[in-house]
Each structure stands twice: as C-alpha cells, then as structure tokens.
Amino acid sequence: MNNYEYLLKDINTINGIGTKLSKIFKKKNINTIFDLLWSLPRDSIDRTNVVKINELQIGKIQTITVNVIKYNFPRIRKLPKRVFCEDETGKIECTFFNSYEGYIKKILPVNSRVTISGKVGYYKNKYQITNPTYVSSDSESIKKIFSTYNLSEGLTEKKYRNVIDEVLKNIPDLNEWLSDEILKKFDYTSWKNSILDLHNPKNIKKKGKFLNRLIFDEILSHFLINSKIRRTIKKVKKINKKFNNKELDKIKDKFGFELTDDQKNAIEQINNDLKSNHKMFRLLQGDVGSGKTIVALIASANVISSGFQVSFMAPTEILAKQHYTLTKKLFDNNINIKILTSKTDLRERKEILKDLSDNKINILIGTHSLFQEKIQYSNLGLIVIDEQHKFGVKQRKKLSDKGGKNCDVLVMSATPIPRTMIMTIFGDMDTSIIKTKPKNRKEIKTYSKLETKTNEVIKFIKKKIGQKNQVFWVCPLIEESKKVDHQSSVARFHDLKKIFKNKVGLLHGALSKEDKNNILLNFLNKKIDILVSTTVIEVGIDFPSANIIIIENANKFGLSQLHQLRGRVGRGDKESYCILMFKSNLSQNAKKRIDILKKTTDGFKISEEDMKLRGYGDLLGFKQSGLQSFRLADPVLNEDLFILAEKEVKRIEKEDQDFKKYMTLLKLYDRADILNDIV
Ligand code: ADP
Ligand code: MG
C-alpha cells in the first residue's frame, strides 16, 4: 500500500466509526479520511484549569476533581441516572441520560477519585453536570486545551474528538512533492506537520506557514490539472486555416465603426491561433458592451473563408436571433447562415441537419443546447460559445473533443473577474482580454434615490420617453420562492400601467420561454417603452434605445450584479442613466459600494471591490465552477499564493511534463480522475 492510500480510505474504516456515524459524516460530504481533515476546529476549550466545587461558574465548561459517593439508578429507563460526588468544598451531581449502568459504574466507581469535565448546570439548589464530556481517573488526560468542531446532529464532541485524534495519530509521512525553493517559503513545514498544526487548538484562527503551505498545495493541484488539459488540447495537430485580411476589410465597411485597440489585439491573437497547426482553446474576456461579438464574427468569417464551418452558440434564443441578424447584415450573401433553436420546426430542422453534413451551411447559430445535440458537421473548424462561464473544465474539454481535431474553440465571457480567478476558472485556456470600451460610449450617469422620491423618477422617465428613450425597471427577487419572487415587480407593473397604459411590459422568472421572448421582442421593436422585470433581463442582448435603467431596492444586489444590470444600458450614443433606488438611508457599507459604482464603470475594478467586500463565493454564479472545490484557498485573500503557484507550474511543465512527482498531491486532492479522463 502506498502510504497516502490511508487517507483515501472510506471513513467507515476508522476505529469507532460504524454505519450510523459514517452516515452522519457522509451527509456532511465527508466520505474519506482525507475529507475529514478539512472540517476545521471552530474553537478551543481550555480544560487545564481544575477548580473546586465552590468556585464553579454555572453555564461554563469546567473541570473538577471529586470523590464518587453513591449512585441513584431509577428503574424507569427514561429517567436520568445520577451519581453523587463531592470535594472538600461542596457537592455535585453527575446525571446521565441514555447511558448503561455498567458503563457508569466503570467510569465512576464508588469511592474513587476522578476528574470530570463538562458544562456546569444548577438544578434544584445543586450543581450538576449532565452527560460530562470527559471522565477519567487520570486527571492529566483531561487537563488539556481541546479543539472543538462544528458538530452535526448525532455527533458528540467526544466521539468527534476520538475520530479526529485517531486520524491525526495515523497520518502518514508523505514523500515531499514541493520543490526545495517553494518549501523554503513555508519554513520547510511538511504536509503532515501542516495538517497537525491546522488541527492544533493553539493555532485556531491563526495564520501561519502551515496554512499557507496547505493553501498552496490546493492551488497547485488545481493549476497542474489546468496545465495538463491545456497542453493535451494543444498537442492535437490540426489542419491550419489559411486566410488573409480580405474578410475583415469586407465586414469593416458594413459595421461602420473603428475597432478598438483591444479588439484588434484579440483578433490578432485569435488569427494566430487559427493559422497555427495546433488547436485553439481560447477565452475572450471583456466587460458587457466591450464588443466581443464582432471579434467572434470576424474570426468566424476567416474560418469560413478558409473552407471550414462555424458553430456559434448563444445562451438564449433571443440572443441567438440577434447574432443571426447581425451576421446576416455583415457577411457576404454567398455565405450560408442558418439558425437552429427549439422553435425551428421539424421539417426545417431536418433540412438544416442535412445541409450541415453536406457542407452547404457555413455557419450555424443557436443556443447552448446545440452542444448537447447530435449534429453532424461536415467540416467544423470553429466553435464559438457566447456568455458561458458556467461550463466547468470537464465540459469545456468535452466540447473541444466533440468538435473534432480540426475544430478551434473560442469561449466568450462578460464577467469581469480578477486575474487570480481567471487563472483558476479558465486556467485551461489561453485568454484575450478586451479592457477598454468603444470610444463613442457616453458615461452612464449613476444616481441614488430614496424610494419616497419615486414620483420624481417617474416624472423623469416620462420626459425621457417623450424623447424616444426606453426604460428598464428592475425589481429584485424578494425571496427564493417562486410564488413571491415577482410580487414586487407585479405591483410596480400595475402602478406604472396606470400612468403609461399599454406601453409597459412585465418580465419575470415564472413566465414561459415563449412569453418571455414575446415581451423582449416587443421591447426591442419599441412596442413598449418600459420593461419591468426581475433580474432575468437576458445577458448580452443589445437594446440600443434602452438607455435608462431604474433598479429598485438596489441594496439587495451585489456590486457586480448592479454593474451587469447597468451594462444593459449605455450601448447607443445617447446619454444613459442608471438610478439606484433605496428603501431607507444607506448603511456605511452600502454607501461605499454605491460610491464605487458611481465613480467607475470598469467592471474589473468593481468586481475586485465586490470580492473584497463580500468574498468570492457570492460572485455571479461561480458556485458551479472550479472555485467551489477549494477548501482553504481564496482568490482574493491568497492572491500572492495563486501567482506563486502559476509561476511554479510553468517551471514544473519544463521539468516534469507528466507531473510524476505530483501524483500523490493530485490523487489526494481529487484531481487525478480528471487527469485519467483527459489523457
Ligand atoms: P459584448 O462584449 O457585451 O458582447 P457587443 O458585442 O454586444 O458587446 O457590443 C455592444 C455594442 O457595441 C454593439 O452594439 C456593437 O455594435 C457595438 N460596438 C462593438 N465594437 C464597437 C466599436 N469598436 N466601436 C463602436 N461600437 C462598437
Ligand atoms: Mg455579448
């Protein structure tokens, strides 16, 4: 047996864990001994101080040494069994519920002297300890500082203690995987000693080299896998695409604006990938409205001109339609563009599928569900996925495989996230970033208003609608429950309807896809002027004449979310407004957040501030991504360790391509299965 294998054993192999206990652990997602190591001590209890009975403090956990005098064991099983004890200063009663007589007699023999530790109560004029946590004739075994853990139902402190002690006692020495240079940074603390330090009650809530080492291990295992995937994909040889700038020039004339420098850079990076004989696996990152679509379409045109097909996937139907319309407008007539969604009727669908496999269709646009479908392309050369940050590493790898060996992959994401998070979530891809927005953008004027001033807001939008502007009016979800989540939006809708008549639409999560689409189309075609909605306003859709957004109860939203919502406006060349409404005066923290929003429209800055205030876990749907699997590491707090790990992986890639030295690390941290999947 390799010595690390002990750690991967099922927890039911630990002495003292039976079926019942193992169920309790498994409910907490603790399946192996290794998993158990990350349930960290919550606090510590000091049982070193032994007091006399007349010094006891009620309600506290205390330790006393007493003589056992006599028992009172009632016949009725449900009643507590009592043991009377005393020292020279007073009396105390130990009460036991659900314990066997024999057990009590064994731990508390009459006339013996024992040390007892537990929570002190007071009942009918007497001190009492109910189910004492520790009882022993050897006072030294109790007089310690203990770590305490978050216990779930069915687990007593003592049981948990025994389990964790047993495990800590058996932790194997592992062959060191970290390089000397890295290890030096952590004072040469081995993995085993780091774990022991982590559980040492003296270190609770303390940071130290041991913690940093463990955090580093966690990040390293994650990054090594990312690296492996990236290199595995890149190893795939493909037929390189041959094209020149002709397509770009043709399209340029039609969209009628200058590309920004960042857009040009991204296009160049993508073109280089397309022309190389290795597969492209690239993330195009850019804030909402930074102009990613056009970059992807130029790449698509190039791929088509070099004789390949393109598959372009959008998150929603309406967005797929918008991309379709734009593509029709920009591309040459001789390029065959088709759209496939759940709405496409059966006959047309059949025809599209046939034409695709006959290489008669050059670009197919649809929703992400295209990915799930069995579609036969004749010569697929590029997959574009728009607005998809929820795909994990495995899904992306699958996507790349599915496209076949000549197929390049471009993923687009509008969620601006700090570098440490890009490294983590998209570390398996190369990245291009669009930082600056097109120049013609007017700043979005951002204001905050108290709800009592709603009338002023209505007056303002009335005037603006008169000047042919459109308005988003966002109401937050009140609760996670389907029934009530849209109540506030319904009420607002009815209020606004009294004033704006049939020029108001309502969109919320309980509507059918069909209804949602119709309402969005009505808004896009300006049949309505105000769209009241919960946060379901679809990502990515371009509503050029909607340039005012009102956000009610704005303190219910996180900064990044407010930024995303605000990004719905300000796309055309008209002045845009974002009005944040609040129920009552703002807290200091809320004021700080709003100030950040008012001052900057840089999504990267905002998301960084947001994470500083709230932690990374809350950030926009990242729960499903790889971040979730971190037990200790935090991309905000441990930025330096993330950067160190990235550097170290680059070094390792040169020296140990197969990560042989790191196999134990990868196996322990549950990444090896991914490794098996990909190689
Ligand atoms: P996103 O990055 O959020 O997907 P889009 O690609 O939808 O952004 O672009 C938003 C809007 O900006 C579109 O109306 C698009 O035509 C316009 N746009 C894109 N690039 C430029 C540019 N360089 N100059 C001016 N407008 C641009
Ligand atoms: Mg977009």
Side-chain angles (χ1 to χ4, degrees), residues 257-260 263 287-294 387 438 440-441 540 542 571:
F257 48 70
E258 262 299 304
L259 291 172
T260 63
Q263 283 173 319
D287 207 349
V288 273
S290 59
K292 295 184 293 293
T293 320
I294 196 77
E387 302 293 354
N440 64 348
R441 291 291 151 74
D542 214 12
R571 293 179 165 229

mmCIF file of all heavy atoms in Angstrom, residues 257-260 263 287-294 387 438 440-441 540 542 571, ligand 1:
data_model
loop_
_atom_site.group_PDB
_atom_site.id
_atom_site.type_symbol
_atom_site.label_atom_id
_atom_site.label_comp_id
_atom_site.label_asym_id
_atom_site.label_seq_id
_atom_site.Cartn_x
_atom_site.Cartn_y
_atom_site.Cartn_z
ATOM 1 N N PHE A 257 -17.790 51.333 -37.729
ATOM 2 C CA PHE A 257 -17.033 51.973 -36.650
ATOM 3 C C PHE A 257 -15.616 51.435 -36.645
ATOM 4 O O PHE A 257 -15.316 50.423 -37.280
ATOM 5 C CB PHE A 257 -17.703 51.790 -35.290
ATOM 6 C CG PHE A 257 -18.133 50.372 -34.962
ATOM 7 C CD1 PHE A 257 -17.204 49.381 -34.698
ATOM 8 C CD2 PHE A 257 -19.503 50.048 -34.893
ATOM 9 C CE1 PHE A 257 -17.610 48.104 -34.375
ATOM 10 C CE2 PHE A 257 -19.905 48.763 -34.577
ATOM 11 C CZ PHE A 257 -18.958 47.782 -34.320
ATOM 12 N N GLU A 258 -14.745 52.149 -35.979
ATOM 13 C CA GLU A 258 -13.355 51.713 -35.841
ATOM 14 C C GLU A 258 -13.272 50.668 -34.740
ATOM 15 O O GLU A 258 -13.879 50.831 -33.688
ATOM 16 C CB GLU A 258 -12.500 52.921 -35.418
ATOM 17 C CG GLU A 258 -11.770 53.611 -36.542
ATOM 18 C CD GLU A 258 -10.791 52.693 -37.262
ATOM 19 O OE1 GLU A 258 -9.906 52.123 -36.595
ATOM 20 O OE2 GLU A 258 -10.932 52.554 -38.498
ATOM 21 N N LEU A 259 -12.518 49.625 -34.963
ATOM 22 C CA LEU A 259 -12.289 48.670 -33.875
ATOM 23 C C LEU A 259 -11.386 49.304 -32.818
ATOM 24 O O LEU A 259 -10.511 50.099 -33.150
ATOM 25 C CB LEU A 259 -11.608 47.408 -34.416
ATOM 26 C CG LEU A 259 -12.454 46.529 -35.326
ATOM 27 C CD1 LEU A 259 -11.596 45.430 -35.943
ATOM 28 C CD2 LEU A 259 -13.613 45.920 -34.555
ATOM 29 N N THR A 260 -11.618 48.957 -31.578
ATOM 30 C CA THR A 260 -10.727 49.459 -30.528
ATOM 31 C C THR A 260 -9.412 48.677 -30.582
ATOM 32 O O THR A 260 -9.339 47.597 -31.168
ATOM 33 C CB THR A 260 -11.336 49.256 -29.131
ATOM 34 O OG1 THR A 260 -11.498 47.849 -28.901
ATOM 35 C CG2 THR A 260 -12.674 49.939 -29.009
ATOM 36 N N GLN A 263 -9.761 45.223 -29.263
ATOM 37 C CA GLN A 263 -10.430 44.332 -30.229
ATOM 38 C C GLN A 263 -9.446 43.865 -31.291
ATOM 39 O O GLN A 263 -9.387 42.682 -31.635
ATOM 40 C CB GLN A 263 -11.619 45.045 -30.897
ATOM 41 C CG GLN A 263 -12.870 45.131 -30.014
ATOM 42 C CD GLN A 263 -13.960 45.980 -30.638
ATOM 43 O OE1 GLN A 263 -13.685 47.040 -31.222
ATOM 44 N NE2 GLN A 263 -15.211 45.555 -30.509
ATOM 45 N N ASP A 287 -15.745 43.103 -20.616
ATOM 46 C CA ASP A 287 -16.901 43.592 -19.904
ATOM 47 C C ASP A 287 -18.124 43.682 -20.827
ATOM 48 O O ASP A 287 -17.977 43.682 -22.049
ATOM 49 C CB ASP A 287 -16.551 44.996 -19.399
ATOM 50 C CG ASP A 287 -17.341 45.344 -18.162
ATOM 51 O OD1 ASP A 287 -18.280 44.606 -17.836
ATOM 52 O OD2 ASP A 287 -17.002 46.360 -17.541
ATOM 53 N N VAL A 288 -19.301 43.775 -20.223
ATOM 54 C CA VAL A 288 -20.510 43.950 -21.041
ATOM 55 C C VAL A 288 -20.345 45.167 -21.934
ATOM 56 O O VAL A 288 -19.906 46.225 -21.494
ATOM 57 C CB VAL A 288 -21.786 44.166 -20.187
ATOM 58 C CG1 VAL A 288 -22.407 42.853 -19.814
ATOM 59 C CG2 VAL A 288 -21.502 45.011 -18.967
ATOM 60 N N GLY A 289 -20.703 44.992 -23.191
ATOM 61 C CA GLY A 289 -20.660 46.107 -24.127
ATOM 62 C C GLY A 289 -19.274 46.420 -24.656
ATOM 63 O O GLY A 289 -19.069 47.435 -25.312
ATOM 64 N N SER A 290 -18.304 45.565 -24.394
ATOM 65 C CA SER A 290 -16.952 45.871 -24.863
ATOM 66 C C SER A 290 -16.766 45.483 -26.330
ATOM 67 O O SER A 290 -15.763 45.829 -26.950
ATOM 68 C CB SER A 290 -15.913 45.163 -23.990
ATOM 69 O OG SER A 290 -16.112 43.770 -24.015
ATOM 70 N N GLY A 291 -17.740 44.777 -26.893
ATOM 71 C CA GLY A 291 -17.692 44.471 -28.323
ATOM 72 C C GLY A 291 -17.028 43.147 -28.656
ATOM 73 O O GLY A 291 -16.183 43.072 -29.545
ATOM 74 N N LYS A 292 -17.441 42.122 -27.976
ATOM 75 C CA LYS A 292 -16.851 40.803 -28.242
ATOM 76 C C LYS A 292 -17.451 40.156 -29.492
ATOM 77 O O LYS A 292 -16.758 39.453 -30.226
ATOM 78 C CB LYS A 292 -17.083 39.869 -27.036
ATOM 79 C CG LYS A 292 -16.361 40.328 -25.777
ATOM 80 C CD LYS A 292 -16.535 39.356 -24.643
ATOM 81 C CE LYS A 292 -17.958 39.268 -24.128
ATOM 82 N NZ LYS A 292 -18.434 40.483 -23.459
ATOM 83 N N THR A 293 -18.751 40.418 -29.715
ATOM 84 C CA THR A 293 -19.432 39.737 -30.815
ATOM 85 C C THR A 293 -18.722 39.946 -32.144
ATOM 86 O O THR A 293 -18.504 38.995 -32.899
ATOM 87 C CB THR A 293 -20.889 40.245 -30.951
ATOM 88 O OG1 THR A 293 -21.417 40.420 -29.654
ATOM 89 C CG2 THR A 293 -21.725 39.290 -31.737
ATOM 90 N N ILE A 294 -18.359 41.189 -32.376
ATOM 91 C CA ILE A 294 -17.761 41.491 -33.679
ATOM 92 C C ILE A 294 -16.435 40.749 -33.847
ATOM 93 O O ILE A 294 -16.103 40.270 -34.929
ATOM 94 C CB ILE A 294 -17.592 43.035 -33.843
ATOM 95 C CG1 ILE A 294 -17.359 43.390 -35.299
ATOM 96 C CG2 ILE A 294 -16.507 43.595 -32.977
ATOM 97 C CD1 ILE A 294 -18.604 43.349 -36.102
ATOM 98 N N GLU A 387 -21.035 34.025 -23.752
ATOM 99 C CA GLU A 387 -21.527 34.209 -22.379
ATOM 100 C C GLU A 387 -21.672 32.903 -21.625
ATOM 101 O O GLU A 387 -22.739 32.574 -21.136
ATOM 102 C CB GLU A 387 -22.899 34.908 -22.395
ATOM 103 C CG GLU A 387 -22.930 36.245 -23.067
ATOM 104 C CD GLU A 387 -22.132 37.308 -22.337
ATOM 105 O OE1 GLU A 387 -21.637 37.038 -21.222
ATOM 106 O OE2 GLU A 387 -21.975 38.391 -22.904
ATOM 107 N N PRO A 438 -15.548 50.772 -26.483
ATOM 108 C CA PRO A 438 -15.524 51.668 -27.648
ATOM 109 C C PRO A 438 -15.600 53.134 -27.213
ATOM 110 O O PRO A 438 -16.261 53.462 -26.235
ATOM 111 C CB PRO A 438 -16.785 51.269 -28.419
ATOM 112 C CG PRO A 438 -17.021 49.852 -28.047
ATOM 113 C CD PRO A 438 -16.524 49.697 -26.657
ATOM 114 N N ASN A 440 -16.993 55.773 -28.477
ATOM 115 C CA ASN A 440 -18.207 56.593 -28.606
ATOM 116 C C ASN A 440 -19.146 56.472 -27.407
ATOM 117 O O ASN A 440 -20.139 57.169 -27.308
ATOM 118 C CB ASN A 440 -18.961 56.224 -29.886
ATOM 119 C CG ASN A 440 -19.472 54.782 -29.833
ATOM 120 O OD1 ASN A 440 -19.083 54.005 -28.959
ATOM 121 N ND2 ASN A 440 -20.344 54.436 -30.758
ATOM 122 N N ARG A 441 -18.828 55.566 -26.493
ATOM 123 C CA ARG A 441 -19.714 55.359 -25.342
ATOM 124 C C ARG A 441 -19.768 56.582 -24.455
ATOM 125 O O ARG A 441 -18.753 57.118 -24.053
ATOM 126 C CB ARG A 441 -19.219 54.186 -24.486
ATOM 127 C CG ARG A 441 -19.348 52.869 -25.120
ATOM 128 C CD ARG A 441 -20.817 52.457 -25.263
ATOM 129 N NE ARG A 441 -20.936 51.591 -26.430
ATOM 130 C CZ ARG A 441 -20.512 50.352 -26.420
ATOM 131 N NH1 ARG A 441 -20.009 49.842 -25.332
ATOM 132 N NH2 ARG A 441 -20.611 49.626 -27.512
ATOM 133 N N GLY A 540 -26.408 39.932 -22.450
ATOM 134 C CA GLY A 540 -25.864 40.057 -23.787
ATOM 135 C C GLY A 540 -26.751 40.684 -24.841
ATOM 136 O O GLY A 540 -26.277 41.108 -25.874
ATOM 137 N N ASP A 542 -28.619 43.232 -27.010
ATOM 138 C CA ASP A 542 -28.346 44.617 -27.299
ATOM 139 C C ASP A 542 -29.672 45.347 -27.529
ATOM 140 O O ASP A 542 -30.381 45.064 -28.481
ATOM 141 C CB ASP A 542 -27.501 44.643 -28.587
ATOM 142 C CG ASP A 542 -26.503 45.775 -28.569
ATOM 143 O OD1 ASP A 542 -26.307 46.377 -27.497
ATOM 144 O OD2 ASP A 542 -25.930 46.058 -29.635
ATOM 145 N N ARG A 571 -25.457 51.578 -24.511
ATOM 146 C CA ARG A 571 -24.858 50.941 -25.682
ATOM 147 C C ARG A 571 -24.969 51.812 -26.925
ATOM 148 O O ARG A 571 -24.155 51.718 -27.816
ATOM 149 C CB ARG A 571 -25.515 49.599 -25.932
ATOM 150 C CG ARG A 571 -25.179 48.679 -24.811
ATOM 151 C CD ARG A 571 -25.790 47.339 -24.963
ATOM 152 N NE ARG A 571 -25.125 46.450 -24.028
ATOM 153 C CZ ARG A 571 -24.631 45.265 -24.338
ATOM 154 N NH1 ARG A 571 -24.745 44.816 -25.550
ATOM 155 N NH2 ARG A 571 -24.047 44.525 -23.439
HETATM 156 P P1 ADP B 1 -20.467 42.351 -25.627
HETATM 157 O O1 ADP B 1 -18.985 42.384 -25.463
HETATM 158 O O2 ADP B 1 -21.162 42.667 -24.350
HETATM 159 O O3 ADP B 1 -20.953 41.087 -26.262
HETATM 160 P P2 ADP B 1 -21.397 43.510 -28.048
HETATM 161 O O4 ADP B 1 -20.513 42.730 -28.925
HETATM 162 O O5 ADP B 1 -22.824 43.116 -27.965
HETATM 163 O O6 ADP B 1 -20.799 43.560 -26.578
HETATM 164 O O7 ADP B 1 -21.257 45.030 -28.435
HETATM 165 C C1 ADP B 1 -22.026 46.029 -27.829
HETATM 166 C C2 ADP B 1 -22.332 47.135 -28.807
HETATM 167 O O8 ADP B 1 -21.146 47.839 -29.136
HETATM 168 C C3 ADP B 1 -22.883 46.642 -30.118
HETATM 169 O O9 ADP B 1 -23.963 47.489 -30.474
HETATM 170 C C4 ADP B 1 -21.743 46.783 -31.088
HETATM 171 O O10 ADP B 1 -22.183 47.031 -32.389
HETATM 172 C C5 ADP B 1 -21.007 47.987 -30.546
HETATM 173 N N1 ADP B 1 -19.565 48.015 -30.831
HETATM 174 C C6 ADP B 1 -18.721 46.963 -30.820
HETATM 175 N N2 ADP B 1 -17.466 47.357 -31.107
HETATM 176 C C7 ADP B 1 -17.523 48.699 -31.293
HETATM 177 C C8 ADP B 1 -16.538 49.694 -31.620
HETATM 178 N N3 ADP B 1 -15.255 49.400 -31.783
HETATM 179 N N4 ADP B 1 -16.970 50.974 -31.733
HETATM 180 C C9 ADP B 1 -18.259 51.291 -31.544
HETATM 181 N N5 ADP B 1 -19.225 50.415 -31.251
HETATM 182 C C10 ADP B 1 -18.873 49.124 -31.113
#
